Amino acid sequence: MYRIGVDLGGTNIAVGVLDENRKIVGRGNLKTKLPRPAEEIFDDIAEACRIAVKNAGITMGDVQSIGIGAPGTINKDTGIIEFSNNFRFFNVPAREMLVERLGEMPIYLDNDANAAALGEAIVGAGHGVSSFIAITLGTGVGSGIVIDGKVLTGINFAGGEMGHMVIHTDGPQCNCGRRGCWECYSSATALIAQTKDAMKHHHDSLMWELCDNSIFNVSGRTAFDAMEKGDAAAKEVVDNYIYYLAMGLTNVVNIFQPEIVCIGGGICNQGESLLAPLRKMVERERYSIHAKHQTKIVVAELGNDAGIYGAALLDC
C-alpha cells in the first residue's frame, strides 16, 4: 500500500506518494495562490493528490492514508486547523474537507514544521536516534521536536515553536506579537533584512555589485558570497547572523540535550562557512560543555521533501 504526504506551503502545494520502501514514486505540485478561501485551497490539495497518484501509476484505492503538514496550530485529534495566520484560517475542518473531495480514508494532520522534523527523524538526518530536533531557517524559524519517534506538541498542539523564544528583550516586532523572537534574527527573512540594512550604510560594499546595484536583488547568499571575496561589511553581517543563530541553538541544546539538531533551509547551502563558526559558538556556550556525550549539529538531508515524507508518515 501507498501513503500520500501533503506539504501545504504559502507558495506551493507539494504532494508526494510514498511506496512501501518509503520512496517518493509520484508527485503533484500546484501553486497555493494566497490569499483565497480554504475551500478553494482544499480543492487544489485534492487535485494535487490526484495528480501525484496518477504520476505514481496507481489509483486512489491503493492509498492507505493521507497526511498533511500545514502552517499554524493543528488539532490532530479533530483534524481541524485551528489557526494559521498567513493562510487566514480559523477552525478550518481540514480532515472533513479532504474526505469530501477524495473519499473516506484515514487522514492525519500536523504542523508543517513538525511534519518536516518527523520526516528528517525517520528517513533523514535523524534516522536511528531517539531524540532529535529540526530547525528550518526560512520565512520564519520553524522547529520540531521528535522523541522516541513521536512529535512533541504539548497540550494544545502548539508546542515546539522555538522560533518564538525571545533572545533580545525589546527587539524587533515579531509577527507573533512579541518582540525580539529568535526568528526576528535568524530566519532567512531576517538575514536578507540585515544584509539590506548593511548595504544602506556601506555604499562601497561588494554586496551592491553582487546584486547588480539593486537592493531588490538581495538574497540569503549575498552577504556570504561577498564575505568570501573579502568584503568587511558582509563579514559583519554574517558574523552577527551566526551569533544570534548560535544563541538560539545553544538554548535549544541546553533545554533538550538531544542527540542531534539538524538545520534546514537554503541558508544551509553555505556549508562550513556557516556550520564551522556556528558549532564553535554553541560548543563554547552550552551548559553541557564538560559532558561526555554532546549534541551533534548537522545539516538536514531531505531538503524540500522533508515535509512530504513527514506528512506521509504521520500514521507511523
Side-chain angles (χ1 to χ4, degrees):
M1 295 294 285
Y2 299 81
R3 294 181 171 92
I4 291 177
V6 179
D7 185 10
L8 177 59
T11 303
N12 295 300
I13 300 167
V15 177
V17 177
L18 267 63
D19 65 11
E20 294 177 351
N21 296 315
R22 295 175 175 171
K23 301 294 184 182
I24 296 178
V25 294
R27 296 178 184 269
N29 292 275
L30 293 172
K31 294 296 182 182
T32 312
K33 295 184 287 189
L34 294 176
R36 56 178 175 147
E39 289 77 9
E40 294 181 12
I41 292 174
F42 274 83
D43 285 342
D44 278 354
I45 290 174
E47 180 60 21
C49 288
R50 295 188 191 99
I51 293 170
V53 164
K54 182 179 179 180
N55 289 338
I58 61 174
T59 69
M60 200 61 71
D62 297 314
V63 176
Q64 71 178 47
S65 64
I66 298 175
I68 304 175
T73 302
I74 316 295
N75 188 319
K76 298 190 292 185
D77 294 339
T78 63
I80 292 174
I81 301 176
E82 295 181 346
F83 174 70
S84 182
N85 180 58
N86 292 338
F87 279 72
R88 301 178 186 174
F89 283 177
F90 294 93
N91 294 320
V92 170
R95 181 181 292 150
E96 177 183 317
M97 293 172 73
L98 205 56
V99 166
E100 289 174 356
R101 289 159 173 79
L102 292 176
E104 190 69 45
M105 72 174 69
I107 295 175
Y108 304 89
L109 290 96
D110 206 337
N111 171 269
D112 56 347
N114 287 341
L118 185 65
E120 286 286 351
I122 295 177
V123 298
H127 179 68
V129 305
S130 62
S131 56
F132 175 81
I133 291 175
I135 306 292
T136 303
L137 308 174
T139 303
V141 172
S143 54
I145 306 161
V146 182
I147 307 295
D148 293 330
K150 301 296 181 183
V151 177
L152 181 65
T153 57
I155 60 171
N156 53 10
F157 306 102
E161 290 287 350
M162 288 176 281
H164 296 290
M165 61 179 169
V166 170
I167 62 170
H168 197 301
T169 305
D170 297 326
Q173 181 82 46
C174 182
N175 288 333
C176 75
R178 304 182 78 193
R179 287 189 174 274
C181 288
W182 188 24
E183 77 171 37
C184 293
Y185 295 89
S186 297
S187 64
T189 305
L191 175 57
I192 291 170
Q194 292 156 15
T195 303
K196 290 180 178 179
D197 185 64
M199 290 168 65
K200 291 174 183 177
H201 289 88
H202 299 276
H203 294 284
D204 59 343
S205 170
L206 181 60
M207 292 186 284
W208 284 102
E209 181 181 332
L210 295 179
C211 294
D212 295 326
N213 291 311
S214 173
I215 206 163
F216 298 105
N217 293 330
V218 171
S219 72
R221 293 181 52 184
T222 302
F224 280 93
D225 289 347
M227 178 190 70
E228 290 174 2
K229 295 179 182 294
D231 187 83
K235 185 177 187 306
E236 184 176 355
V237 171
V238 171
D239 287 348
N240 286 336
Y241 176 77
I242 292 175
Y243 169 79
Y244 285 113
L245 181 56
M247 184 184 298
L249 278 178
T250 302
N251 290 342
V252 171
V253 170
N254 285 350
I255 294 167
F256 294 100
Q257 296 293 331
E259 292 179 65
I260 288 179
V261 172
C262 89
I263 309 172
I267 293 172
C268 293
N269 292 331
Q270 301 304 319
E272 287 304 304
S273 60
L274 170 71
L275 290 174
L278 181 63
R279 290 187 182 115
K280 187 175 181 179
M281 288 186 190
V282 174
E283 287 168 2
R284 184 180 67 232
E285 297 293 332
R286 60 192 173 192
Y287 178 78
S288 58
I289 189 169
H290 299 296
K292 179 180 179 181
H293 299 291
Q294 299 286 1
T295 299
K296 293 180 181 178
I297 299 174
V298 303
V299 173
E301 295 179 0
L302 301 180
N304 292 332
D305 287 337
I308 291 175
Y309 278 104
L313 298 172
L314 285 173
D315 65 331
C316 292

